[in-house]
Amino acid sequence: MLVPVEWINDYIDLSDVDVDEFCDRMIMSGSNLETCDWFCDDVRNVVVGRIDKIEPHPKADKLVICRIDIGGFEADGKDENGLLQIVTGAPNVFEGAYVPVALSGSHIPGPLHGQPKQEGGVDIEKGELRGVVSYGMLCSCGELGFEDKVVPIAHREGIWILDPEVYDGIEDKVGQDFVEALELKQAVVDFEITPNRPDCLAQVGMAREAAATFGKSFSYPDTAIQNENGDGASEDYVSVEIKNSESCKRYVARIITDVVVKQSPWWLQKRLMFAGMRPINNIVDFTNFVMLEYGQPMHAFDIKEVHGNKIVVENAQPGEKFVTLDENERTLEGDMLMIKDAERSIGIAGVMGGLNSEIEDDTKTVILESANFLGSSIRNTSKKLGLRTEASARFEKGIDPNLSEAAADRFCRLVEMTGSGKVCKGKVDCYPNPEKAKTLDVRVSRINYVLGIELTREEMTAMLEGLEIKVEGEGDIMTVTPPTIRQDLLEEEDYIEEIARMYGYDKLPVTLPKGNTEAGMPYARHLRDMAREALCGMGLNEIQTYSFVSPSGVDKIGIGEDSWERAFVKIINPLGEDTSVMRTVLTPNMLEVLGRNYSRNNEKVKAFEIGNTFMDNPISPEKLPDEDYSLCIGMYGKGCDFFTLKGVIEELLDTMGIRKLSFVSESEYGVYHPGRCARVLVEASDAMKAAGEEYEELGIMGEVHPDAAAAFGLEGVRVYCCELMFGAIERKANTEIVYEPLPKYPSTSRDIALLVDEAMEVGNIEDVIRQKGGQILESVRLFDVYRGKQVEDGKKSVAFTLVYRDRNKTLTDKEVSDVHENVLQTLKEKLNAVLRDM
């Protein structure tokens, strides 16, 4: 939102406030400032001149020699008559024209006609054009620094001609500095207006903010029409019917007769230009001026093009074709709000008027539209048509319907002030449901508590009334009623913010937050980070894969048809079959990554992934799917085998305080080799033991089945994987570190080699040893499994080291021997495990 400071001064006297202070204070009161630019600050030695005589150039048909009167201004090159000779090729110059003259030694922003813009501007010196000396140049709007989009339509081509009817008193300013004569040097502040403050998308709105910020009085624009001398009343010329009152809250129409289409006065054109809009003609300029001033978009129709003298507000016909003012034909949809006459559409409501009813040079009677349209409706239309305008941008954010009448009156006042037509009496005003202000109670004590300040009720009242908020009530309760234009003031917190910004954000005390604000990482997140750190420390690389997968992934790894791994959450609108479901397990993704690495000749890979898995609830489809974390480890290559993976799992779980693991063989799970697969178990909780469960499963590990490996391009490769349920790990984890002093008393160890059946699981042997070892058995460690000539067929030798220690005394040989013999006897009785001769 471009805000010329000169325009703001029409409503509030800021003559004692410099621009830097204005910007700083507005920022501290909550107005987000983007830039502050000074226009024409770098224009030097350019004066107002009058073309006294034009002569043809002796050597160039397209050039002319102008004799310029620059008054009493001293300049190099003046002849005996005080005239300055300048050669130009501009086609629009004529004798008697008032023009900007850049003298020799002057500086202008540029760019020069037909040349690229130069950094730092252009210095003008005298020179020769085809043998004739030129002591300067005549300037266009663009050469004086104005962008093409804001150059008045009357001055887009050629030299900037200063028409005395537009530039009042220009005849008396010959020889004056051009920038000073036209009051061009001024600051323009660019504010970023947040979506909740559409009232600030107007010069009046920003002036209201400035008045409250600086504690100054504020006056509204002059809307008092002095003489409604048009022929008849507005209702005699036009009728209005709103057929879609939900999308059109109000429609005000006024009639102006005896219209004279001409250029707007310079003061109005200047304000439009500095606010970023191009002056076109007085009627169009007035609508744009009032839109920028009040924030209320308006439109003017030529009444002779409004069939039946009737305005109808209703939706478009689906597929209807309509040509807008930019001469583009657009195809409309049935939900787009249109302005129609008795026979056809004449405007897209809130977006752009139609070419079939635009203001022409011969327009004599105008219907002025000042209406209010629903923001969501205008946003939808603008988006579908790809047509965004200044009007639609304002309607989209919401506009107070109560502005419509004042804005229409302001337009009529401008018509009257500039002699552009005659205003007819009255107006046609369709306003089915008038907007009313919303009253609310706010607490003085609450405002002070939240902001950490101590303002009195009277001080707060003065701040709020400066924003035109009515304050009533007594004591701690302030009953506040905002103007209807403040659609953002809905609850007590909004008024706390108003007090904060009027008090000054820079003045608010710095305090510590109240309450318990201790920040911490969730325990589950902490465990996942611990797992990542531990696995990376063991030489594994972390990978991340997509949660959207193909359902064929579980087919490749040999999952049964009735397995829980097939309870997929299906994507309603997938990009393709490969991303049509959410993954239930991570193993297919891991094997795909391993296969891709193997195909690229990576001889050894050890990787892991911690990621979400999702499972549908087929029993209760109305419930949300289950979501949990899983940990998958995969490896292949030299040094990778079943026991390598087992060691990684044990070390990882030990890091999380999970010990006394059991690895129980599994032969039915299709993912893994039937003889090289184990389920990872841990001692059950007391609650599970009460339910008859001895162990709780954490996951499964093993050598991947050759068929599954081949399905992922790993044919003939021994691949080892595991998948652990992180939710179960979280339940069993104990990361609290408890200090234990070093033992005072010595330990003693015994090595045993047991001859057992080939099918005997080492875990069962360890369980018996631990049960019978009692309190003095400190540890059991397997150190050898042997099959050879000294061992008969169907048998194997397993060797353990048993460490005994009593933390309260030194053990005797007899105490150790008694326990040790009991262990050996139980092994023989229960497992038929006998000592092997060493």
Side-chain angles (χ1 to χ4, degrees):
M1 173 71 184
L2 296 176
V3 178
V5 175
E6 180 188 65
W7 198 343
I8 292 292
N9 272 291
D10 288 348
Y11 320 109
I12 169 178
D13 183 11
L14 292 174
S15 58
D16 58 338
V17 179
D18 65 36
V19 174
D20 289 339
E21 182 185 358
F22 172 76
C23 293
D24 291 342
R25 292 281 298 277
M26 292 297 284
I27 290 172
M28 287 302 125
S29 67
S31 297
N32 189 13
L33 185 145
E34 292 283 342
T35 60
C36 178
D37 296 317
W38 281 93
F39 278 80
C40 296
D41 191 35
D42 53 353
V43 176
R44 296 190 299 274
N45 217 23
V46 178
V47 300
V48 177
R50 178 183 179 278
I51 301 177
D52 187 74
K53 187 177 182 181
I54 297 178
E55 301 172 351
H57 193 289
K59 297 182 180 180
D61 293 339
K62 293 185 178 180
L63 298 178
V64 293
I65 302 171
C66 296
R67 307 290 180 180
I68 312 292
D69 178 8
I70 58 171
F73 196 91
E74 293 299 326
D76 180 31
K78 274 188 173 183
D79 62 17
E80 63 278 4
N81 297 319
L83 302 178
L84 195 69
Q85 176 175 289
I86 291 180
V87 180
T88 181
N92 65 326
V93 294
F94 56 90
E95 292 181 355
Y98 295 90
V99 292
V101 182
L103 305 174
S104 179
S106 64
H107 180 85
I108 60 175
L112 299 181
H113 179 69
Q115 297 183 20
K117 187 175 180 62
Q118 298 182 30
E119 187 71 25
V122 180
D123 292 323
I124 304 300
E125 301 292 344
K126 74 174 182 178
E128 286 191 10
L129 291 175
R130 303 293 294 270
V132 177
V133 177
S134 181
Y135 292 93
M137 65 174 286
L138 307 184
C139 300
S140 66
C141 292
E143 288 164 340
L144 289 172
F146 289 93
E147 295 183 14
D148 181 67
K149 67 177 182 178
V150 303
V151 174
I153 200 76
H155 306 310
R156 291 191 66 180
E157 302 294 336
I159 300 304
W160 189 347
I161 304 296
L162 308 176
D163 186 346
E165 292 187 4
V166 175
Y167 302 86
D168 188 40
I170 196 67
E171 302 95 330
D172 301 327
K173 297 179 180 179
V174 173
Q176 290 188 22
D177 181 272
F178 183 79
V179 172
E180 293 180 4
L182 271 66
E183 298 178 333
L184 290 173
K185 185 178 178 180
Q186 60 175 283
V188 177
V189 184
D190 187 2
F191 288 102
E192 180 187 4
I193 308 301
T194 54
N196 67 317
R197 292 299 306 274
D199 59 296
C200 289
L201 283 170
Q203 306 300 327
V204 167
M206 292 309 301
R208 187 187 301 109
E209 289 289 302
T213 300
F214 290 95
K216 292 178 174 289
S217 59
F218 166 76
S219 58
Y220 277 94
D222 180 12
T223 60
I225 303 168
Q226 303 299 318
N227 186 10
E228 295 179 326
N229 57 357
D231 187 12
S234 294
E235 60 185 16
D236 298 332
Y237 288 83
V238 66
S239 63
V240 176
E241 180 182 5
I242 300 176
K243 291 188 176 181
N244 184 347
S245 58
E246 182 178 349
S247 296
C248 179
K249 298 180 181 180
R250 187 179 191 184
Y251 196 104
V252 174
R254 294 208 67 153
I255 302 296
I256 297 92
T257 63
D258 300 321
V259 170
V260 179
V261 179
K262 58 183 179 179
Q263 287 191 61
S264 301
W266 169 238
W267 67 266
L268 190 144
Q269 289 195 44
K270 182 172 57 171
R271 279 162 173 68
L272 290 178
M273 292 169 68
F274 283 121
M277 297 198 77
R278 182 196 307 282
I280 297 174
N281 60 52
N282 56 341
I283 302 301
V284 176
D285 291 351
F286 294 163
T287 62
N288 288 333
F289 181 88
V290 175
M291 177 182 69
L292 293 175
E293 187 176 46
Y294 272 91
Q296 169 66 54
M298 312 180 78
H299 189 69
F301 299 100
D302 187 337
I303 197 169
K304 70 175 183 293
E305 301 297 339
V306 178
H307 298 173
N309 287 7
K310 184 175 183 179
I311 296 291
V312 180
V313 185
E314 64 176 341
N315 287 9
Q317 294 296 320
E320 179 182 349
K321 305 292 185 181
F322 183 72
V323 180
T324 47
L325 282 171
D326 57 5
E327 300 184 5
N328 289 319
E329 184 179 78
R330 305 181 187 277
T331 302
L332 308 177
E333 297 183 15
D335 59 350
M336 297 179 178
L337 192 66
M338 300 296 292
I339 308 300
K340 302 181 178 181
D341 59 20
E343 300 175 3
R344 56 184 184 155
S345 295
I346 56 175
I348 303 175
V351 181
M352 185 177 284
L355 191 64
N356 56 11
S357 59
E358 71 171 332
I359 302 299
E360 303 282 1
D361 290 342
D362 62 348
T363 297
K364 295 302 178 185
T365 302
V366 164
I367 300 176
L368 174 68
E369 168 193 287
S370 181
N372 185 276
F373 304 111
L374 184 66
S376 58
S377 172
I378 303 306
R379 186 183 306 113
N380 177 63
T381 299
S382 178
K383 185 176 180 181
K384 286 182 176 181
L385 294 177
L387 181 61
R388 187 174 176 83
T389 61
E390 288 283 348
S392 67
R394 284 166 170 77
F395 278 123
E396 287 174 12
K397 294 175 177 61
I399 296 176
D400 178 17
N402 292 325
L403 282 178
S404 298
E405 182 178 8
D409 290 347
R410 176 59 169 165
F411 177 94
C412 294
R413 176 60 180 149
L414 292 173
V415 169
E416 186 178 62
M417 288 168 56
T418 58
S420 299
K422 296 180 179 179
V423 180
C424 289
K425 296 179 182 178
K427 60 185 71 68
V428 179
D429 188 357
C430 291
Y431 197 4
N433 301 298
E435 188 83 5
K436 296 181 180 179
K438 301 175 179 63
T439 299
L440 183 73
D441 287 343
V442 299
R443 295 162 289 176
V444 173
S445 58
R446 173 66 177 169
I447 295 173
N448 281 327
Y449 174 77
V450 172
L451 300 181
I453 57 180
E454 295 183 2
L455 291 179
T456 65
R457 176 193 173 96
E458 289 70 24
E459 289 172 319
M460 293 185 186
T461 298
M463 292 178 183
L464 294 175
E465 288 181 344
L467 293 166
E468 300 186 341
I469 298 171
K470 183 179 179 182
V471 181
E472 298 175 308
E474 297 179 354
D476 189 53
I477 302 298
M478 294 190 297
T479 302
V480 292
T481 305
T484 53
I485 197 170
R486 290 298 304 273
Q487 300 179 17
D488 60 311
L489 300 180
L490 303 175
E491 51 193 34
E492 188 175 36
E493 284 74 9
D494 297 324
Y495 289 92
I496 294 176
E497 182 180 2
E498 293 302 291
I499 294 296
R501 66 189 191 87
M502 289 298 104
Y503 181 76
Y505 289 128
D506 55 327
K507 299 177 184 177
L508 293 176
V510 178
T511 59
L512 292 174
K514 299 178 177 65
N516 181 12
T517 59
E518 181 179 354
M521 182 183 294
Y523 184 58
R525 169 78 176 275
H526 174 65
L527 288 179
R528 293 196 294 272
D529 286 349
M530 283 184 63
R532 289 186 175 95
E533 185 175 348
L535 291 169
C536 289
M538 288 185 274
L540 281 76
N541 295 300
E542 184 175 9
I543 64 171
Q544 285 186 332
T545 59
Y546 290 115
S547 299
F548 296 167
V549 298
S550 168
S552 64
V554 295
D555 296 332
K556 292 181 179 181
I557 60 174
I559 296 294
E561 291 294 332
D562 298 328
S563 299
W564 59 266
E565 289 93 335
R566 293 183 179 273
F568 294 116
V569 177
K570 297 180 180 178
I571 307 302
I572 295 176
N573 188 24
L575 295 176
E577 194 275 340
D578 288 346
T579 55
S580 59
V581 298
M582 307 292 286
R583 64 189 179 188
T584 55
V585 288
L586 303 181
T587 302
N589 294 30
M590 175 61 71
L591 291 175
E592 184 177 345
V593 171
L594 296 180
R596 188 180 305 117
N597 277 270
Y598 182 73
S599 69
R600 286 161 173 74
N601 300 319
N602 287 330
E603 297 180 355
K604 180 179 178 180
V605 174
K606 296 167 72 176
F608 74 92
E609 178 177 11
I610 301 175
N612 298 76
T613 57
F614 310 84
M615 192 177 303
D616 199 10
N617 193 329
I619 299 175
S620 303
E622 71 280 359
K623 293 185 178 180
L624 291 173
D626 293 327
E627 180 179 354
D628 207 346
Y629 275 91
S630 290
L631 164 64
C632 186
I633 300 173
M635 59 180 68
Y636 72 81
K638 186 177 180 180
C640 297
D641 58 22
F642 182 92
F643 296 103
T644 304
L645 179 59
K646 179 173 178 286
V648 169
I649 295 172
E650 288 176 324
E651 181 66 24
L652 169 67
L653 296 179
D654 183 72
T655 302
M656 298 183 180
I658 304 175
R659 302 174 181 92
K660 297 183 180 180
L661 299 175
S662 295
F663 293 84
V664 178
S665 64
E666 170 64 54
S667 60
E668 301 298 326
Y669 195 60
V671 180
Y672 298 105
H673 193 294
R676 299 165 190 164
C677 175
R679 293 194 179 274
V680 184
L681 307 179
V682 69
E683 185 179 359
S685 63
D686 293 339
M688 293 183 67
K689 287 181 178 178
E693 298 290 338
E694 186 175 354
Y695 295 100
E696 181 176 354
E697 184 174 343
L698 298 182
I700 192 167
M701 62 157 290
E703 181 180 328
V704 176
H705 195 287
D707 292 342
F712 289 93
L714 294 159
E715 188 172 2
V717 181
R718 287 197 164 188
V719 182
Y720 302 91
C721 279
C722 80
E723 184 146 351
L724 304 178
M725 297 173 287
F726 222 93
I729 294 175
E730 182 182 339
R731 290 192 296 273
K732 302 299 292 185
N734 180 11
T735 56
E736 183 178 353
I737 299 175
V738 180
Y739 167 75
E740 289 186 6
L742 293 173
K744 295 181 180 180
Y745 302 100
S747 66
T748 183
S749 63
R750 304 285 176 89
D751 290 343
I752 59 173
L754 300 172
L755 197 63
V756 297
D757 293 337
E758 178 66 45
M760 177 63 63
E761 295 181 359
V762 174
N764 292 339
I765 301 174
E766 284 193 11
D767 288 344
V768 172
I769 294 174
R770 292 184 187 280
Q771 289 171 9
K772 292 302 179 180
Q775 295 295 323
I776 66 170
L777 180 64
E778 186 174 78
S779 66
V780 179
R781 183 176 66 86
L782 174 72
F783 68 86
D784 184 52
V785 177
Y786 176 74
R787 301 174 183 85
K789 293 180 180 180
Q790 294 83 0
V791 177
E792 62 183 278
D793 292 341
K795 297 287 185 177
K796 64 183 175 182
S797 173
V798 291
F800 296 91
T801 296
L802 282 66
V803 178
Y804 296 98
R805 190 199 307 268
D806 191 326
R807 290 184 173 271
N808 300 314
K809 64 178 183 177
T810 301
L811 290 171
T812 64
D813 286 342
K814 184 178 185 308
E815 290 173 325
V816 175
S817 295
D818 288 347
V819 173
H820 191 67
E821 288 299 327
N822 188 26
V823 169
L824 296 176
Q825 184 64 30
T826 304
L827 287 171
K828 182 176 181 181
E829 292 174 355
K830 285 191 173 184
L831 304 179
N832 195 26
V834 297
L835 278 177
R836 176 187 166 217
D837 294 332
M838 301 295 287

